[in-house]
Each structure stands twice: as C-alpha cells, then as structure tokens.
Amino acid sequence: MNDVREFKNISPTTLADVLGREQVMDIGIRPLWSPMPRVAGPAFTVRCPPGDNLMLHAAIHRAEPGSVVVVESGDLDYALAGGNVCAVAQRRGIAAFVADGVIRDLAEVRELGFPVFARGVIPIPGTKKAVAPLNEPVRCGGVRVDAGDIVVADEEGIVVTPRARWEQVLLDARRKLAKEAGESLDTWEATHRARIDKALSEGGFEG
C-alpha cells in the first residue's frame, strides 16, 4: 500500500468532492495549532468512554508508525491526552491524533509540532480504568471510521477514505486535479457564469 502515501499530496477539499459529505468530519474537530501541516495515514481507532482515556494511552504504544490515531470520546469534560502522551506518540512515528474530544497541555503540543485535531482544550485529565478493544469501528466527527481507513486532515478539514475504496478514490482525485490544472481561470469563470445564469433563469430570477 505504498501509494497510500500519495494521499498526503491531495487536499481534503479534493477528496471531499470525490467522496461526498458523509465522509467529511464536522467542523467542530479542528487543528489545535497553526499553521497545521497536512497529515495522511491509515486510521488506528480508539474508543474512550466518558471521563476515561486509558485506551488512547494504550494505543500510542501499539499503533504503527505513520498511523493517524482516531478517537471516539464519550465527553468533552476530561482531557484524552496531554503533552507527554503526544511526545511519545510523535517519537513512535504516529502521524497525528484526530479526536472527537479534548486534550490538555496545548502549549507543549504546539511546541512539539505534533498534529492534533480535536474539539478543544481542557486542563483536567480523565481516569485510566476502562478497558475496551482497539481498532474497532468508531464514530468521529459524525463519520464512521474503521481501522485502516485513510484519514487526510489539514486546516481545510478532515476526510476519511474507506480502505476498500482507496485505490479508486486516489485515481479519481488524481484525474480531478489534472483536469483543474489544465483549466485557466478565464475558462473556469466562463463555465461558472453560464452554469449560474442557467440556474438563476430556471429559478425565475430576473436581474
């Protein structure tokens, strides 16, 4: 699956056009520092119940280098991870965290340059008691994510490509980019104007 690395060259915007709304996480999950580099990699999925972060802390020692750790969290009241967890994840080659939850120690994380996409920051940590399986299907930002799905995230958003479709999606994205590269702004403007004027006319707009 070496071609999976090519997803890092494709923006979430292009992937969203290819895949549709259902594969795009909601706007609440955002980069926690800026400028955030684009990250891309296979999902390593984690589920944490309310108030507990044990399985994310377990995941950083088990996820393969290059993985994007995707977390379904049960609440926004307790931090899933802090500076040391992110530092160990980074040292082990994990590409990023994408969490439907919150973290702490943001200053440390920003200093590290470790990419974290989450709903925000809170200073109090969760407990470490609840054991659950890793790499089970999760929901993050409204999107179902299975282990091995390809996650691409940057300041434009977070898009999940199902692992069974990644080759076709990559091919379709390349074709779209090639078409756009060969189209001048003048050509785009003329096509766009014609399409918009047609829609306006059909809708009864006069002006």
Side-chain angles (χ1 to χ4, degrees):
M1 289 180 62
N2 288 338
D3 284 347
V4 165
R5 298 174 195 168
E6 292 191 38
F7 274 91
K8 196 166 184 179
N9 299 321
I10 301 175
S11 75
T13 303
T14 298
L15 290 170
D17 288 345
V18 171
L19 284 161
R21 177 66 186 88
E22 65 275 9
Q23 295 305 123
V24 180
M25 292 191 190
D26 71 55
I27 63 168
I29 303 181
R30 307 178 67 84
L32 292 190
W33 51 267
S34 182
M36 181 70 73
R38 182 178 301 150
V39 299
F44 186 98
T45 58
V46 181
R47 183 179 290 109
C48 293
D52 198 281
N53 59 31
L54 175 63
M55 295 318 298
L56 174 55
H57 289 236
I60 65 170
H61 303 291
R62 290 162 176 80
E64 293 292 324
S67 299
V68 175
V69 175
V70 179
V71 190
E72 177 182 329
S73 176
D75 67 86
L76 301 177
D77 298 317
Y78 296 90
L80 292 163
N84 285 342
V85 169
C86 292
V88 171
Q90 183 181 55
R91 187 160 65 180
R92 295 203 64 255
I94 291 169
F97 287 167
V98 174
D100 202 332
V102 293
I103 71 157
R104 68 180 195 160
D105 301 332
L106 179 56
E108 292 179 34
V109 176
R110 183 171 53 238
E111 183 74 18
L112 287 168
F114 181 67
V116 176
F117 299 78
R119 292 201 181 271
V121 180
I122 202 166
I124 186 167
T127 59
K128 296 167 182 61
K129 296 178 180 178
V131 174
L134 292 168
N135 275 328
E136 296 284 305
V138 300
R139 287 197 73 78
C140 187
V143 178
R144 176 186 166 122
V145 185
D146 291 294
D149 289 351
I150 309 304
V151 180
V152 178
D154 66 14
E155 63 185 3
E156 299 291 344
I158 306 163
V159 182
V160 180
T161 298
R163 59 184 172 183
R165 296 170 55 194
W166 74 267
E167 290 176 299
Q168 185 60 50
V169 168
L170 192 58
L171 184 63
D172 292 344
R174 286 185 190 134
R175 286 173 176 160
K176 180 175 173 55
L177 288 170
K179 179 183 176 183
E180 290 172 350
E183 182 179 56
S184 70
L185 181 59
D186 288 343
T187 301
W188 184 92
E189 182 182 8
T191 303
H192 178 262
R193 176 68 183 268
R195 180 160 54 94
I196 297 304
D197 286 350
K198 181 174 184 289
L200 290 171
S201 177
E202 290 173 351
F205 179 80
E206 296 180 5

